[in-house]
Amino acid sequence: MKVALVTGAAGGLGAAVAARLAEDHAVLLTDVDADRVAAAAAKLVSSGATVAHTRCDVRDRESVRAAFTTAEERLGEVTALANVAGIGLFVPFPELTDEQWDRTFAVNTRGTFLSCQEFLRRRAGRPGAIVNVASIAARLGMDVLADYGPSKAAVIELTHAVARAGAVTGVRANAVMPGLIWTDMWRKTSEWLLESDPAYAGSTPEKIFAGFVDALVPMKRPQTTDDIAAIVSFLMSEQAVNITGQTIAVDGGVVMT
Ligand SMILES: NC(=O)c1ccc[n+]([C@@H]2O[C@H](COP(=O)([O-])OP(=O)(O)OC[C@H]3O[C@@H](n4cnc5c(N)ncnc54)[C@H](O)[C@@H]3O)[C@@H](O)[C@H]2O)c1
């Protein structure tokens, strides 16, 4: 059986990706939040999927290494990797601190690098598939995302490098750019805007999110975790055997390439 390792699998998108991949893979769910990833895995076990879970902090090479070893011991060699773990909050550009910049890059960019490198080393000459979750923020030049946007732009270029490194042996690497999905990430951002920006006084987090969807998305609809999980699953499949080094936006038309 094919084996997938998913990072950030306790989160809204990571859990959906794990659930979708579990349809045709054994899946190791990993996340820095041990309790929530255990709960996400338990939900899939109860639906009959072959899954295991472990805590993994993607910033830490030893933690990443240990997660791959856990997958091998419990499920088999990892043939597919979905890098979903990520952090991001709106911060006005003049207030962005060195610590915030470093933290965002450590999770989003270094974390993706460490997992991709571990995967390529372990595949050593055999095929496999990687999908890295970037963001439309990589292309929007938003001043409140001056750490997050560049960290995701770096993920896209890293994906190109990984695609080159793996091409001869059949390891494919692609990136997806989700648009706007109502997960904890957007809930926290909307709650923060409600508290900190008088322009939103009297609104609700849900209405603030809907306002961003209306302003940014040509199709005037939010994206869902299932939208993204479906494209990740496709990119992992045999149908995508000639697709590598690509970045696919699933965003209702925000970024047109
Ligand atoms: N929600 C959106 O609209 C949106 C849009 C574009 C891209 N994304 C990207 O999608 C991915 C998933 O985000 P989400 O919306 O599900 O948010 P989320 O906050 O629900 O999930 C993120 C998960 O990453 C985990 N995580 C954080 N730091 C980690 C670390 N050091 N090691 C391992 N795991 C860690 C968190 O515990 C959490 O479970 C992120 O990479 C995010 O940047 C989300």
Side-chain angles (χ1 to χ4, degrees):
M1 193 176 201
K2 296 187 290 181
V3 177
L5 188 154
V6 181
T7 72
L13 181 53
V17 166
R20 181 70 190 242
L21 291 179
E23 290 172 12
D24 53 359
H25 292 74
V27 180
L28 182 74
L29 290 86
T30 76
D31 199 285
V32 73
D33 187 327
D35 292 340
R36 285 178 57 236
V37 81
K43 225 167 143 183
L44 293 182
V45 168
S46 67
S47 68
T50 304
V51 302
H53 64 87
T54 189
R55 180 181 181 277
C56 173
D57 183 340
V58 295
R59 296 170 296 185
D60 174 22
R61 184 179 285 282
E62 279 316 311
S63 187
V64 170
R65 216 173 253 161
F68 275 82
T69 300
T70 300
E72 280 170 16
E73 287 170 358
R74 302 204 38 201
L75 303 170
E77 248 182 69
V78 180
T79 57
L81 168 67
N83 283 308
V84 190
I87 55 171
L89 276 180
F90 281 14
V91 181
F93 186 68
E95 290 165 29
L96 185 61
T97 63
D98 310 11
E99 290 72 24
Q100 167 90 21
W101 171 276
D102 288 346
R103 195 162 50 238
T104 303
F105 270 77
V107 179
N108 297 358
T109 313
R110 177 184 158 87
T112 304
F113 157 65
L114 291 177
S115 299
C116 287
Q117 195 181 50
E118 192 64 29
F119 181 84
L120 273 183
R121 285 177 175 171
R122 289 186 189 232
R123 287 313 287 158
R126 285 156 306 134
I130 297 173
V131 178
N132 294 327
V133 174
S135 168
I136 54 169
R139 300 274 174 82
L140 295 183
M142 285 177 71
D143 57 347
V144 287
L145 293 173
D147 54 339
Y148 181 80
S151 78
K152 293 296 192 176
V155 165
I156 292 172
E157 188 55 13
L158 169 68
T159 304
H160 298 159
V162 174
R164 289 263 180 222
V168 177
T169 61
V171 171
R172 298 179 298 102
N174 293 288
V176 295
M177 293 194 294
L180 284 77
I181 314 166
W182 182 252
T183 60
D184 273 1
M185 189 174 274
W186 256 108
R187 188 181 50 71
K188 284 178 198 159
T189 298
S190 301
E191 284 172 358
W192 176 78
L193 286 170
L194 189 58
E195 278 166 27
S196 62
D197 189 339
Y200 294 106
S203 188
T204 65
E206 289 80 2
K207 280 187 192 159
I208 292 171
F209 175 71
F212 274 92
V213 171
D214 201 47
L216 285 176
V217 183
M219 292 185 78
K220 306 288 179 202
R221 50 181 292 167
Q223 285 65 66
T224 68
T225 56
D226 285 347
D227 294 339
I228 314 303
I231 196 82
V232 173
S233 167
F234 169 73
L235 288 169
M236 298 295 196
S237 76
E238 291 302 309
Q239 288 168 298
V241 75
N242 270 306
I243 303 177
T244 195
Q246 302 306 306
T247 301
I248 299 178
V250 183
D251 64 355
V254 179
V255 175
M256 298 196 186
T257 53

